Amino acid sequence: MEDQYAIHYECNQETGEFMYVYLGIFDGHGGADAAKFTKANLHKNVTENILFWSDDPKDVQQSIREGFLKTHEDMWKVIGK
């Protein structure tokens, strides 16, 4: 099976409320290595972007787009050879 999945969440330390929930399903149609690479890197590439932590939904959407693009570009550097 080439598919991968990831679940991650963060809660506010003071209130216990969810700050965000990350659910990823990575189809291995690009091969098992592509699914594994995306599982290992997409979450980090999205949440490390300062825009992800904005109160503006458009900023958050932009951070998600940029995280996907960075993951895609990085993947081709590593497994696209």
Side-chain angles (χ1 to χ4, degrees):
M1 188 72 158
E2 296 178 341
D3 297 347
Q4 298 284 315
Y5 70 92
I7 300 170
H8 183 84
Y9 61 89
E10 287 197 30
C11 293
N12 181 304
Q13 296 287 334
E14 295 174 14
T15 65
E17 294 179 355
F18 286 112
M19 294 170 55
Y20 72 88
V21 175
Y22 171 85
L23 305 169
I25 299 173
F26 311 105
D27 187 338
H29 71 273
D33 290 339
K36 288 177 187 175
F37 185 89
T38 305
K39 176 183 178 178
N41 292 281
L42 181 59
H43 174 258
K44 173 182 67 79
N45 287 337
V46 171
T47 59
E48 285 183 352
N49 186 322
I50 192 73
L51 294 175
F52 181 76
W53 301 100
S54 172
D55 290 331
D56 184 343
K58 290 183 180 186
D59 287 344
V60 177
Q61 289 174 337
Q62 183 63 31
S63 74
I64 293 169
R65 277 189 211 97
E66 290 175 9
F68 269 92
L69 290 172
K70 178 166 179 27
T71 303
H72 180 76
E73 291 169 5
D74 292 348
M75 179 175 48
W76 282 109
K77 291 175 188 174
V78 173
I79 64 173
K81 297 178 181 179

